[in-house]
Amino acid sequence: MEVLSKNIIKQVVSLSKKKERDELDSFFAEGPKLVNDLMSVFPCSMIIATSDYIEKYKGAFHADVVKEVSKEDLKKVSSLQYMQKNTIKKKNSNQ
């Protein structure tokens, strides 16, 4: 299990602002259903998830980086009132 760096937390949280999403050509999505649906459509640069999600969907996701984190760390990047078990960051289209 990893600890999210302050830099990653800052980057993911910044994606809640439209200006940052446009500049980075990225977005983040939360929740198992939305994340699973989007992975088949968009290339993914990073998945941040709990061990439960990773174990359940092992092999079903494709990302440059998969970070297994605690629920406490996941709360730091979540924008939802009720935290989900994962989040995804879209890969820049020019990578």
Side-chain angles (χ1 to χ4, degrees):
M1 191 171 307
E2 297 181 49
V3 175
L4 287 179
S5 70
K6 289 181 182 180
N7 189 37
I8 291 175
I9 293 169
K10 183 178 176 182
Q11 183 182 20
V12 173
V13 170
S14 76
L15 293 174
S16 64
K17 298 178 181 135
K18 183 177 181 347
K19 178 181 175 184
E20 295 294 324
R21 291 191 303 269
D22 289 345
E23 285 178 10
L24 298 172
D25 191 29
S26 293
F27 65 90
F28 75 97
E30 297 180 81
K33 177 158 179 31
L34 181 59
V35 169
N36 292 339
D37 289 348
L38 288 174
M39 278 192 287
S40 64
V41 180
F42 293 105
C44 176
S45 63
M46 183 183 306
I47 292 178
I48 302 169
T50 62
S51 57
D52 293 343
Y53 177 85
I54 291 171
E55 184 64 32
K56 184 173 182 179
Y57 296 102
K58 190 185 321 182
F61 47 80
H62 310 284
D64 296 341
V65 177
V66 177
K67 295 202 174 277
E68 180 182 331
V69 299
S70 67
K71 290 180 182 179
E72 291 75 29
D73 270 357
L74 198 56
K75 286 178 186 178
K76 293 176 184 177
V77 296
S78 179
S79 64
L80 298 176
Q81 182 177 2
Y82 300 103
M83 185 199 65
Q84 300 295 316
K85 292 184 178 177
N86 58 340
T87 186
I88 183 174
K89 182 176 172 267
K90 176 188 161 289
K91 186 185 289 189
N92 293 345
S93 57
N94 49 347
Q95 283 187 342

